[in-house]
Amino acid sequence: MAIIAYKCPDCQVTVVDINPERIDAWNSNELPVYEPGLDKIVKKTRGKNLFFAKDIEKQIKENDIIFVSVNTPTKTFGTGAGMAADLQYWEKTARQILENSQSSKIVIEKSTLPVKTALAMEKILNSAKGKIRFDVLSNPEFLAEGTAVEDLENPDRVLIGSHETRSGLKARQELLDIYSKWVPKEKIITSNIWSAELSKLVANAFLAQRVSSINSISALCEKTDADISEVAKAVGMDSRVGSKFLQAGIGFGGSCFKKDILNLVYLCSYYGLQEVADYWESVVKINEYQQDRFIANILCSMFNTLAGKKICILGVAFKANTGDTRESPAIYITRKLLAEHAEVIISDPKALKNAAADLAGMKGSVKYVEDPYRAASGCHALTILTDWDLYRKLDFRKIYKSMVKPAFLFDGRNIIDHKKCFALGFNVYPIGKPALSHFQTENNS
Ligand code: UDX
């Protein structure tokens, strides 16, 4: 919404939320999310044509276009628990729009939703008799965290799904006019509403599938002396495959991939397509396998006991350039390390607050130390779990000196110079590459 306000000075954009503290934070000097470049844009537009407000009902009344971006978490109860999307917030919002509208409106699905959700929303919205009309559009969001501003300013594509009726096409055109203010026409694609809804789930499933594919091969590399970076490079140079999203690691995290794939799996099962459901579910299974493999490797390399050992976690965010820890592999790995009675010291430049909230109430010893050198000092092992650029530039000689020997280094993101760290004295365990160990009895492959 900030980007729309920034690119379309003629539009007045108001953001509402049921959480008043969140709105206060958006109106303050410290935004509630860390997203490179967003501060600047919010500061330029806030109070001019971008507003953050608490009076939801009044704003529904006064605005012509409503983007609904409420959360659609995985259902935790009843039919489809653990798989299907929980649509209660969306439905409540639809009813609230209906109750408070005195004029016709365009309602846009921004949240990621299962196919055919728009149909249910339309039924609710158009249940009132009278002259007011609601046109529902699907406009899924493809931005990634950490690069949100960049992705919104230069999107690969903008997708608008609508009914192909007269009023559906008119509504589609209105949204198209907004995006055309900064997005080249050829990048704005239109489709029927169901294709738009499904495309978002499928786009995320394909991206996650690439990560699981390369991670599955990393396990094979560790057994065969092949190097996953070399394999990924050779495979990715085929222009039909492409080089992006082939970085092996500890698995994908974030609020979208797992949730959206499970939602897709549920949809496939619902329509009786069990083989298709199983195929996509395996992407999530490989992701869990990759994290379990990483923990098993730590345990086995450190002589099968972690009790009382200090393990430093560098990076707890689910990826670099964000403070978000939702579904972060680092959180899962921390829980497992605590279960082994290890003492965990977590370092991260942006995500410590969220990590502390995620791990609140966990039994065991967890400390949060922002400075990576202080965090690593006195530890038995270092694990790199987020691909923050600053970890590539650390002085590993200094870190090595401050650690308990033998010092272990588990690079869960393959971002540092393994040979150099091995030469400094570390026992180095990358992903999908032979371990570099100083222990003579161990076979380095
Ligand atoms: C994703 C989609 O990219 C975006 O289009 C959609 O709108 C929302 O979901 P996001 O969750 O912000 O975005 O992060 P993304 O960059 O896709 O990374 C997801 C996870 O995969 C991260 O944990 C990342 O570290 C991991 N990943 C990504 C890898 O492990 N290897 C890769 O090669 C790429």
Side-chain angles (χ1 to χ4, degrees):
M1 291 305 109
I3 298 285
I4 290 182
Y6 180 57
K7 299 287 184 184
C8 311
D10 298 341
C11 294
Q12 178 167 315
V13 180
T14 307
V15 178
V16 290
D17 196 290
I18 52 168
N19 180 350
E21 282 145 33
R22 201 91 177 147
I23 293 296
D24 287 338
W26 282 110
N27 278 321
S28 75
N29 281 333
E30 206 180 310
L31 302 186
V33 295
Y34 170 69
E35 195 56 59
L38 183 61
D39 268 53
K40 236 168 63 196
I41 290 183
V42 169
K43 278 178 191 150
K44 275 188 185 154
T45 47
R46 198 170 53 192
K48 287 188 190 130
N49 66 333
L50 176 67
F51 302 91
F52 296 93
K54 297 174 191 170
D55 46 358
I56 302 177
E57 297 180 350
K58 179 165 172 267
Q59 296 305 330
I60 291 175
K61 244 175 235 135
E62 291 180 359
N63 284 280
D64 306 309
I65 301 179
I66 300 175
F67 288 85
V68 182
S69 320
V70 297
N71 52 338
T72 50
T74 304
K75 234 178 135 183
T76 53
F77 54 89
T79 309
M83 289 262 171
D86 183 350
L87 298 175
Q88 59 170 311
Y89 307 105
W90 227 106
E91 185 169 330
K92 275 182 197 148
T93 307
R95 291 183 193 280
Q96 201 177 18
I97 293 173
L98 175 64
E99 273 161 32
N100 294 286
S101 293
Q102 293 168 353
S103 58
S104 294
K105 299 190 191 299
I106 298 175
V107 177
I108 301 171
E109 295 179 341
K110 255 296 173 204
S111 316
T112 303
L113 294 161
V115 196
K116 297 276 174 177
T117 305
L119 188 65
M121 295 311 146
E122 266 173 342
K123 281 189 184 151
I124 293 173
L125 288 168
N126 288 319
S127 62
K129 308 242 166 348
K131 286 202 179 124
I132 300 182
R133 234 205 98 71
F134 295 95
D135 283 296
V136 179
L137 299 180
S138 167
N139 174 219
E141 186 47 67
F142 296 105
L143 69 80
E145 288 183 37
T147 52
V149 171
E150 206 179 303
D151 295 345
L152 287 165
E153 289 198 299
N154 298 300
D156 282 347
R157 79 304 208 184
V158 167
L159 175 57
I160 305 175
S162 72
H163 283 305
E164 269 136 5
T165 56
R166 237 175 88 189
S167 74
L169 293 174
K170 195 165 157 264
R172 175 198 277 188
Q173 190 58 43
E174 277 199 50
L175 186 56
L176 217 143
D177 289 344
I178 292 177
Y179 283 112
S180 311
K181 294 263 165 54
W182 79 95
V183 181
K185 285 238 159 31
E186 64 279 7
K187 289 198 170 177
I188 308 179
I189 52 173
T190 55
S191 72
N192 81 35
I193 205 157
W194 324 125
S195 308
E197 285 180 336
L198 186 58
S199 299
K200 169 69 194 200
L201 290 183
V202 174
N204 274 349
F206 269 57
L207 289 169
Q209 179 218 42
R210 282 178 73 94
V211 177
S212 277
S213 295
I214 202 72
N215 282 343
S216 72
I217 300 301
S218 76
L220 185 58
C221 284
E222 286 165 29
K223 298 276 182 214
T224 56
D225 275 351
D227 179 322
I228 195 65
S229 305
E230 292 172 354
V231 174
K233 187 173 176 188
V235 172
M237 277 178 76
D238 186 324
S239 60
R240 292 168 302 178
V241 177
S243 62
K244 291 183 184 162
F245 263 69
L246 290 181
Q247 174 68 42
I250 42 169
F252 57 77
S255 65
C256 295
F257 281 180
K258 185 176 170 194
K259 168 177 83 88
D260 290 351
I261 294 180
L262 291 179
N263 193 349
L264 184 67
V265 169
Y266 181 74
L267 278 171
C268 294
S269 308
Y270 176 83
Y271 287 107
L273 305 171
Q274 204 46 49
E275 286 79 359
V276 186
D278 294 345
Y279 172 72
W280 287 107
E281 195 171 5
S282 71
V283 172
V284 176
K285 286 193 177 143
I286 288 288
N287 201 50
E288 288 162 359
Y289 165 74
Q290 188 73 352
Q291 295 171 36
D292 289 336
R293 234 164 54 73
F294 186 73
I295 298 153
N297 193 20
I298 296 180
L299 190 59
C300 155
S301 314
M302 295 181 74
F303 322 118
N304 291 311
T305 175
L306 301 178
K309 290 182 182 165
K310 289 189 177 175
I311 312 236
C312 173
I313 290 189
L314 291 182
V316 70
F318 81 95
K319 63 187 263 195
N321 299 318
T322 175
D324 199 342
T325 53
R326 284 176 292 174
E327 296 293 339
S328 176
I331 296 287
Y332 179 78
I333 290 166
T334 301
R335 286 184 204 278
K336 292 281 176 179
L337 294 175
L338 289 173
E340 293 291 340
H341 295 184
E343 290 181 32
V344 182
I345 297 96
I346 302 181
S347 187
D348 192 288
K350 295 284 173 199
L352 291 187
K353 224 167 120 187
N354 283 333
D358 293 340
L359 296 166
M362 275 298 292
K363 264 203 193 145
S365 164
V366 197
K367 291 199 180 86
Y368 302 92
V369 180
E370 196 173 317
D371 178 55
Y373 295 101
R374 276 209 306 121
S377 175
C379 284
H380 297 75
L382 203 61
T383 61
I384 301 179
L385 302 190
T386 307
D387 50 340
W388 284 103
D389 212 24
L390 78 103
Y391 299 146
R392 293 187 172 91
K393 299 170 191 154
L394 289 175
D395 180 349
F396 284 98
R397 183 185 299 274
K398 184 173 155 186
I399 291 181
Y400 179 73
K401 277 193 190 151
S402 74
M403 287 177 65
V404 174
K405 312 294 177 313
F408 294 83
L409 202 169
F410 299 90
D411 183 1
R413 297 288 186 167
N414 280 351
I415 55 172
I416 56 160
D417 187 334
H418 301 132
K419 287 199 177 111
K420 209 169 126 192
C421 288
F422 175 65
L424 289 173
F426 280 107
N427 296 294
V428 186
Y429 300 83
I431 299 272
K433 299 166 193 255
L436 301 169
S437 156
H438 295 284
F439 304 119
Q440 280 171 1
T441 47
E442 199 176 85
N443 175 356
N444 279 353
S445 66

